[in-house]
Amino acid sequence: MEQKIFCTNCDRAIDGDERIYTVHGERICEDCADSKTVICDRCGERIWDCENEGDENITLCTSCYDNYYTTCENCEAVINTDEANYDDDDRAYCDECYDKNCRSIHNYGYKPEPIFYGSGDRFFGVELEIDDGGKLSDNADIILAAGNSDAEHIYIKADGSLERGMEIVTHPMTLDYHKNHMPWHEIMQAAIRLGYHSHKTDTCGLHIHVNKNSLGDTRELQEERISRILYFVEHHWEELLKFSRRTEYQMDRWAARYWYKNDPSEMIEHAKKSGKGRHSCVNITNYDTIEFRMFRGTLKLNSLIAAIQLVEIICEMAITFGDTEIKSIGWTEFAESIDAQEYPELITYLKERRLYVNEPVESEEDV
């Protein structure tokens, strides 16, 4: 008489034609193997599911985990030890968590979830390039400490266009927040003490992103108003070139113009067909923002705030003015219409650049 074999897990007699599985020397039936065990993805050993040291992406026996894997300190993902990143305290991180939490200078493509600061509809994200001081994590840590003492205002990215520098990037903020709450002075002073320049280089730019939905509720309305912005920039190119502190060569290289069309409504299609891509005076290739790229970098606070204020006014004009009004306004009329009490930094800057009703003032040198 054939001796019956019983499953050590459920005590059921295993039929003669049924496959028998072995787990740590114990023989079990097919049903228990399917419901109670898993296979290690590395060595192929069958183990009880409660012994799985992996996660939702990988199954591991204890031996394979101990010898070849570790767990991310932040998100608890299981990662191969050869692919893990380690901080100064030898804590392991996956690539994403290390880039977010441990790396002072992120890769150029790094883009965290935005944090919005200030109350309002229009937000400005600033990218400020600095050079000459080195691509050093220790320097980045000092600048980050200056900018993020009470909130996560900035992060820092590498930029291949810079020789010995980095790019300081803000989260989106209202104009009021940039002016009255953002620690720009502390950031700039820290950069200057570390030997960085921005204006006094041939490499650095100041880029200002504006959320498109602040220009209208529909794509059609947004594009109509972006067309007016593009027209204003082209119509006043000579004045804005002077405002930018860039040379014609620098503009052509980093913030090329689209060139003039007779009617504002033609500008956005003209820009789309230009083939200039993101290296244009006003980059319209991003889905959520337009990017004003024409400004030279600066470590002078008034120059930075003035640039944001100019962008604010241009955007507001594109909303409140029609095509005919945008076409008819001259630079002097535009400059005289700026509220000096609301935008004193911009008025001062326009005077410094000899762009305000021939009323120059003495000013500190840009850095």
Side-chain angles (χ1 to χ4, degrees), residues 126 128 184 188 206 208 298 300-308:
V126 170
L128 174 60
W184 275 119
M188 291 177 169
L206 165 64
I208 301 172
T298 183
K300 181 180 173 184
L301 180 58
N302 192 85
S303 297
L304 183 142
I305 297 300
I308 303 174

Side-chain angles (χ1 to χ4, degrees), residues 178-334:
H178 273 290
K179 179 179 175 179
N180 297 313
H181 304 285
M182 173 68 177
W184 275 119
H185 175 76
E186 290 78 5
I187 293 169
M188 291 177 169
Q189 289 303 305
I192 291 169
R193 287 193 297 270
L194 292 167
Y196 289 96
H197 299 99
S198 192
H199 172 85
K200 291 183 176 180
T201 71
D202 295 324
T203 54
C204 293
L206 165 64
H207 306 155
I208 301 172
H209 287 260
V210 183
N211 54 313
K212 286 182 179 178
N213 60 15
S214 70
L215 299 172
D217 296 331
T218 66
R219 284 287 164 180
E220 182 180 17
L221 190 55
Q222 290 167 18
E223 292 204 345
E224 175 188 320
R225 290 164 175 175
I226 292 170
S227 276
R228 294 188 193 125
I229 290 171
L230 298 179
Y231 184 90
F232 182 90
V233 170
E234 291 295 334
H235 190 57
H236 300 290
W237 184 259
E238 293 303 320
E239 291 86 358
L240 291 174
L241 177 62
K242 196 171 183 179
F243 188 103
S244 75
R245 291 170 287 107
R246 287 188 184 271
T247 64
E248 283 276 14
Y249 170 78
Q250 290 170 333
M251 280 291 209
D252 288 342
R253 186 177 181 187
W254 305 114
R257 64 186 301 183
Y258 292 114
W259 292 96
Y260 184 75
K261 299 297 283 186
N262 288 328
D263 195 89
S265 62
E266 300 177 69
M267 283 301 304
I268 194 161
E269 290 305 318
H270 172 61
K272 288 178 180 179
K273 295 174 183 177
S274 70
K276 295 186 185 299
R278 58 184 297 270
H279 288 118
S280 51
C281 52
V282 182
N283 169 25
I284 60 173
T285 64
N286 298 317
Y287 186 80
D288 292 318
T289 68
I290 58 172
E291 178 191 15
F292 290 75
R293 294 177 54 88
M294 64 189 78
F295 309 112
R296 190 167 182 158
T298 183
L299 289 174
K300 181 180 173 184
L301 180 58
N302 192 85
S303 297
L304 183 142
I305 297 300
I308 303 174
Q309 290 175 340
L310 177 70
V311 171
E312 161 74 11
I313 292 172
I314 292 174
C315 290
E316 201 57 37
M317 284 179 56
I319 294 172
T320 57
F321 285 11
D323 288 1
T324 302
E325 293 169 295
I326 287 287
K327 287 181 69 173
S328 64
I329 190 168
W331 181 265
T332 299
E333 182 183 356
F334 166 73

Side-chain angles (χ1 to χ4, degrees), residues 72-265:
C72 174
E73 185 77 19
N74 186 61
C75 71
E76 299 185 347
V78 174
I79 44 178
N80 192 299
T81 52
D82 291 338
E83 299 172 357
N85 306 279
Y86 295 90
D87 65 11
D88 293 339
D89 296 320
D90 208 32
R91 291 174 295 199
Y93 293 87
C94 67
D95 287 342
E96 183 177 351
C97 290
Y98 186 80
D99 201 36
K100 181 177 180 180
N101 299 293
C102 305
R103 197 188 303 276
S104 299
I105 304 176
H106 299 285
N107 297 326
Y108 183 74
Y110 176 71
K111 191 174 182 181
E113 191 69 25
I115 305 170
F116 291 84
Y117 291 96
S119 177
D121 298 323
R122 185 168 297 128
F123 293 86
F124 303 89
V126 170
E127 298 169 352
L128 174 60
E129 296 170 346
I130 57 176
D131 213 339
D132 295 343
K135 301 181 179 184
L136 305 173
S137 293
D138 287 347
N139 288 358
D141 287 338
I142 292 170
I143 294 171
L144 287 167
N148 295 338
S149 59
D150 60 349
E152 189 181 341
H153 293 124
I154 63 172
Y155 51 96
I156 291 177
K157 300 198 302 183
D159 190 323
S161 68
L162 304 175
E163 296 172 358
R164 297 181 59 250
M166 58 191 74
E167 183 177 71
I168 301 168
V169 185
T170 76
H171 285 278
M173 304 171 183
T174 60
L175 172 58
D176 174 74
Y177 197 95
H178 273 290
K179 179 179 175 179
N180 297 313
H181 304 285
M182 173 68 177
W184 275 119
H185 175 76
E186 290 78 5
I187 293 169
M188 291 177 169
Q189 289 303 305
I192 291 169
R193 287 193 297 270
L194 292 167
Y196 289 96
H197 299 99
S198 192
H199 172 85
K200 291 183 176 180
T201 71
D202 295 324
T203 54
C204 293
L206 165 64
H207 306 155
I208 301 172
H209 287 260
V210 183
N211 54 313
K212 286 182 179 178
N213 60 15
S214 70
L215 299 172
D217 296 331
T218 66
R219 284 287 164 180
E220 182 180 17
L221 190 55
Q222 290 167 18
E223 292 204 345
E224 175 188 320
R225 290 164 175 175
I226 292 170
S227 276
R228 294 188 193 125
I229 290 171
L230 298 179
Y231 184 90
F232 182 90
V233 170
E234 291 295 334
H235 190 57
H236 300 290
W237 184 259
E238 293 303 320
E239 291 86 358
L240 291 174
L241 177 62
K242 196 171 183 179
F243 188 103
S244 75
R245 291 170 287 107
R246 287 188 184 271
T247 64
E248 283 276 14
Y249 170 78
Q250 290 170 333
M251 280 291 209
D252 288 342
R253 186 177 181 187
W254 305 114
R257 64 186 301 183
Y258 292 114
W259 292 96
Y260 184 75
K261 299 297 283 186
N262 288 328
D263 195 89
S265 62

